[in-house]
Amino acid sequence: MFSAITAGRRGSGLGFALPAVLLLFAFFVVPVAALLTRSVTEPELGLQNYAVLVGSSTYARIFFNTFFVSGVVTLITVLIAFPVAWALAIMPSRWASIIFAIILLSMWTNLLARTYAWMVLLQQTGLINRSLMALGLIDAPLQLTNNLVGVTIGMVYIMLPFMILPLMGVIKKIDPAILQAAALCGATKAQALRRVLIPLAGPGIASGALMVFVMSLGYYVTPSLLGGTANMMLAELIAQQVQSLVNWGMGGAAAFLLLVVTLGLYAVQLRFFDAKEAR
Amino acid sequence: MLLDFNKLGAWKWGLTAICVLMALFLLLPILFIVGLSFGSSRWLIFPPPGWTLKWYAELFADPRWLGAALTSAKIGVIVMVLSVALGLLASLALVRGTFRGREVLRAFFLTPMVLPVVIVAVALYAAFLRLGLNGTLVGFVIAHLIVALPFAIITITGALETFDPAIEDAAILCGASPWEARLRVTLPGIRHGLFSAAIFSFLISWDEVVLAIFMASPSLQTLPVKVWTTLRQDLTPVIAAASTLLVALTVLLMIAAALIRKGKSE
């Protein structure tokens, strides 16, 4: 009742939030709203930009690339992250903390540095192609950069920590007694995994997967460096329309589509997964 | 049984193997860059035919790299100070405030973190074209502050939530003014949160690429922008040297953050 805030001011503390609110309003809300407005006002009032975006096969290809790569990246990330998160949750803590430190190091290493590493590793004369040829597995170097294969590898590398860390928390919270009960009732390990552990971790997996998918949809740096200009994704389209073509109408329209999909998927996540975890 | 590591039997080795492979997958590319930066091959042959420091010499001899690094550091420090200051005020409002709609405000503060950066970048680019802020230090700081602030707010609200307001009240009952109580009791009480927020804010600004690409001009660019423009021309080992220095700085800051966390738990 004597809290400094209420004793010091008659107000409710709202004033403290004012600088941050003003900053975000002036340099976040207004600019984003202005950009989206330009999608229906430039070059003239109307929905023509959206008509072009939905109608042309060039853009259809870009949407396909974006959703396809994001989907594949999410799937691979989940398949690797689940066993790793499971192991990290139950491993002796000394081992776990070493692996944990590596995950954090990778996560905080500069994004361009990580992408550069993959550009060099995956190029025609790169270490991976040369090792595969030395082992006799392939005769000619594989094309691994400037296409969606490179983008997928680079993106999985970046997204793994975002999937492992939350999933580990989810698995740690599961009561081991439930799995003991499954074993006592005669479940084999495979049955316990399929019918107890995975369903219990399910909401965590789904919510992490959704987050990775959404983040992948809007990624710019890695797709443009590893994918090349021929394999464009949505974020690159927005940047290209605005920077090289100075077509603010189209850029705004593409940004609006990305925004709607992103917020829509986050709404799904809040609606379904947080409600489940709260129970 | 599945959640007891020692009762997993053969599965234990399977899981351990996946963990080790994943850790190598995450770690090797980083070690690979470090190796490349000391390798003598311009064509990035690995393992390198010999060892050299010439890429570092080239890096330090080029005033544009050094200039970009200085610009990054300057922007990072300003963003760090502003982000912690604004984040602290906003967190006080969110945690100690009594007004309605605090949850809505919290969600609002976190939206820049949720939206794809490219949208924020393009929107700010348009706004700054009108305001003449593109290619200026102020423009960079504002752009980076927008994305750093949510992280500062999350960290500081977390620290404030675990700090008992009764301690602040006690100071006031003992005769401190409300501001004195805040500055001399609450601030030291949440200093770990403030330090973490400062480190995160600096790192976010220091590493940020997408906004910086849009804000940069030929005369003013940050280190990531310099890496980006060089990368698009060729994959020179100079980038490996620059990346290695970035990794080294990240490791140092991570250790600092870990020490802060350790200090807090003791």
Side-chain angles (χ1 to χ4, degrees):
Chain A
M1 56 191 241
F2 259 101
S3 217
I5 269 185
T6 39
R9 304 167 61 101
R10 291 260 176 73
S12 53
L14 187 58
F16 284 100
L18 211 56
V21 170
L22 288 179
L23 177 88
L24 287 187
F25 196 75
F27 295 109
F28 176 64
V29 178
V30 172
V32 171
L35 176 70
L36 301 182
T37 312
R38 290 173 88 164
S39 73
V40 287
T41 57
E42 287 183 26
E44 57 191 37
L45 203 64
L47 292 173
Q48 70 278 6
N49 290 318
Y50 292 94
V52 175
L53 210 52
V54 176
S56 117
S57 62
T58 323
Y59 297 126
R61 172 100 210 145
I62 293 174
F63 289 125
F64 172 78
N65 283 348
T66 311
F67 283 91
F68 180 72
V69 168
S70 302
V72 173
V73 166
T74 307
L75 188 69
I76 299 176
T77 307
V78 168
L79 290 179
I80 302 176
F82 177 73
V84 172
W86 174 17
L88 281 178
I90 60 173
M91 255 187 182
S93 65
R94 198 158 8 113
W95 301 1
S97 61
I98 295 173
I99 292 177
F100 199 70
I102 292 175
I103 294 174
L104 286 185
L105 172 70
S106 148
M107 201 170 150
W108 282 101
T109 294
N110 187 289
L111 177 65
L112 284 172
R114 287 181 282 169
T115 308
Y116 169 75
W118 284 108
M119 288 169 83
V120 178
L121 282 168
L122 295 174
Q123 64 180 338
Q124 297 260 330
T125 55
L127 190 59
I128 291 179
N129 265 322
R130 291 195 318 138
S131 310
L132 289 176
M133 282 169 76
L135 289 171
L137 292 172
I138 51 172
D139 297 324
L142 300 172
Q143 174 76 32
L144 296 171
T145 53
N146 284 325
N147 60 20
L148 296 179
V149 177
V151 179
T152 306
I153 297 175
M155 296 281 286
V156 167
Y157 184 80
I158 286 157
M159 293 300 163
L160 266 176
F162 294 107
M163 186 79 213
I164 295 174
L165 297 181
L167 200 50
M168 192 179 88
V170 169
I171 296 177
K172 266 193 175 162
K173 274 195 228 143
I174 296 174
D175 188 352
I178 301 174
L179 284 134
Q180 266 166 8
L184 284 175
C185 295
T188 65
K189 274 186 208 145
Q191 281 172 330
L193 174 66
R194 198 160 45 86
R195 301 194 30 196
V196 183
L197 186 60
I198 291 181
L200 281 175
I205 297 175
S207 137
L210 203 60
M211 194 177 82
V212 167
F213 185 73
V214 172
M215 281 172 73
S216 305
L217 285 181
Y219 237 65
Y220 174 63
V221 170
T222 310
S224 49
L225 287 176
L226 283 165
T229 40
N231 301 286
M232 214 185 259
M233 284 173 57
L234 197 47
E236 295 166 84
L237 173 71
I238 299 171
Q240 187 209 41
Q241 290 292 336
V242 166
Q243 257 189 329
S244 326
L245 307 176
V246 204
N247 188 342
W248 288 96
M250 281 301 285
F256 185 72
L257 286 184
L258 180 58
L259 186 85
V260 167
V261 175
T262 304
L263 291 183
L265 288 175
Y266 272 120
V268 169
Q269 172 158 34
L270 286 178
R271 178 83 178 74
F272 290 104
F273 301 121
D274 281 13
K276 260 186 195 160
E277 273 164 33
R279 254 193 272 150
Chain B
M1 142 186 94
L2 288 184
L3 289 176
D4 185 335
F5 194 63
N6 292 317
K7 289 188 193 156
L8 274 175
W11 284 29
K12 177 172 152 182
W13 302 113
L15 278 185
T16 310
I18 295 174
C19 257
V20 170
L21 287 177
M22 191 273 330
L24 290 177
F25 174 66
L26 288 186
L27 186 61
L28 289 182
I30 297 173
L31 297 181
F32 173 72
I33 311 172
V34 177
L36 271 189
S37 76
F38 294 108
S40 61
S41 162
R42 163 156 283 283
W43 311 113
L44 307 160
I45 307 282
F46 198 89
W51 303 98
T52 174
L53 284 174
K54 72 177 168 192
W55 312 118
Y56 288 91
E58 210 172 292
L59 186 69
F60 285 105
D62 187 342
R64 283 171 304 173
W65 281 101
L66 217 55
L70 279 179
T71 308
S72 273
K74 213 190 292 174
I75 293 167
V77 170
I78 301 174
V79 168
M80 174 178 89
V81 171
L82 290 177
S83 166
V84 172
L86 291 183
L88 174 63
L89 289 176
S91 304
L92 281 171
L94 288 177
V95 179
R96 299 292 172 77
T98 53
F99 56 92
R100 276 206 274 171
R102 271 171 298 161
E103 285 314 305
V104 177
L105 191 63
R106 190 190 293 252
F108 172 64
F109 282 146
L110 302 187
T111 30
M113 205 170 77
V114 174
L115 284 199
V117 196
V118 73
I119 294 181
V120 185
V122 168
L124 268 182
Y125 177 64
F128 284 179
L129 278 181
R130 291 201 180 149
L131 299 171
L133 285 174
N134 273 322
T136 67
L137 200 69
V138 178
F140 271 108
V141 168
I142 292 174
H144 283 177
L145 193 53
I146 300 285
V147 288
L149 195 56
F151 288 89
I153 291 178
I154 289 177
T155 315
I156 300 173
T157 46
L160 263 181
E161 270 158 4
T162 56
F163 182 81
D164 190 348
I167 303 174
E168 202 175 286
D169 295 342
I172 295 172
L173 285 174
C174 293
S177 74
W179 274 107
E180 223 175 334
R182 267 182 221 127
L183 287 177
R184 297 182 51 190
V185 177
T186 309
L187 276 196
I190 58 166
R191 64 179 185 280
H192 296 296
L194 295 175
F195 283 136
S196 306
I199 290 180
F200 279 133
S201 300
F202 178 82
L203 264 183
I204 286 166
S205 165
W206 175 262
D207 275 342
E208 204 290 322
V209 192
V210 182
L211 290 162
I213 292 170
F214 281 88
M215 299 304 130
S217 71
S219 58
L220 191 73
Q221 54 180 359
T222 60
L223 200 51
V225 176
K226 177 70 184 147
V227 176
W228 167 266
T229 45
T230 314
L231 257 186
R232 305 204 104 186
Q233 287 154 16
D234 73 325
L235 297 175
T236 159
V238 176
I239 297 177
S243 301
T244 302
L245 294 177
L246 287 176
V247 172
L249 186 83
T250 309
V251 172
L252 285 180
L253 287 178
M254 266 176 62
I255 294 173
L259 289 178
I260 290 172
R261 244 176 285 136
K262 205 176 163 199
K264 187 180 162 189
S265 60
E266 267 165 15

